[in-house]
Amino acid sequence: MYPFAEQILAYKADDREKRIGGLTLEVKGDFCRKVKEILTRHGRAEDYIEIGLDSEYCYNPLHSDLDAYALAYNIASLLNNLFGRGKDHSGNRRTPIW
């Protein structure tokens, strides 16, 4: 993934109209740190915006218009996906994302 990220983020890095942006979603943060390094190396450090609990920008997944049941179901689904509870379509136990 690193060579791909390097290539795509370096493309026309000096041209604000044509350079490529993106959204990186990841659990551990390793890839995000590498993206930040790549952007900095190509003079695009100001293009990196982190959304997190300790950053200038944050997102609260519990703030929504869903009713309590739907919100609880979504949280349970997320936890099941993260920690590998349940089985896949073939009946095999899912592997945790970690």
Side-chain angles (χ1 to χ4, degrees):
M1 286 295 296
Y2 295 144
F4 176 72
E6 179 85 35
Q7 190 174 26
I8 204 149
L9 296 172
Y11 179 77
K12 299 199 181 224
D14 298 329
D15 188 339
R16 289 189 65 80
E17 297 295 319
K18 295 184 179 176
R19 63 186 175 197
I20 297 173
L23 174 66
T24 302
L25 301 173
E26 95 164 302
V27 177
K28 296 180 182 177
D30 299 339
F31 189 68
C32 289
R33 284 188 287 281
K34 188 64 173 180
V35 165
K36 187 175 184 179
E37 290 174 17
I38 292 168
L39 288 170
T40 300
R41 193 168 47 252
H42 292 284
R44 299 184 57 187
E46 74 282 356
D47 290 343
Y48 184 83
I49 298 172
E50 187 167 316
I51 300 172
L53 297 175
D54 299 328
S55 69
E56 181 180 350
Y57 302 95
C58 62
Y59 168 69
N60 181 353
L62 300 178
H63 180 78
S64 77
D65 295 329
L66 295 174
D67 63 46
Y69 178 81
L71 185 57
Y73 179 82
N74 287 346
I75 293 169
S77 296
L78 172 66
L79 291 173
N80 285 335
N81 284 330
L82 289 175
F83 297 107
R85 302 266 182 212
K87 298 183 179 185
D88 64 17
H89 298 293
S90 303
N92 300 317
R93 283 192 59 77
R94 282 191 244 162
T95 305
I97 196 167
W98 312 105

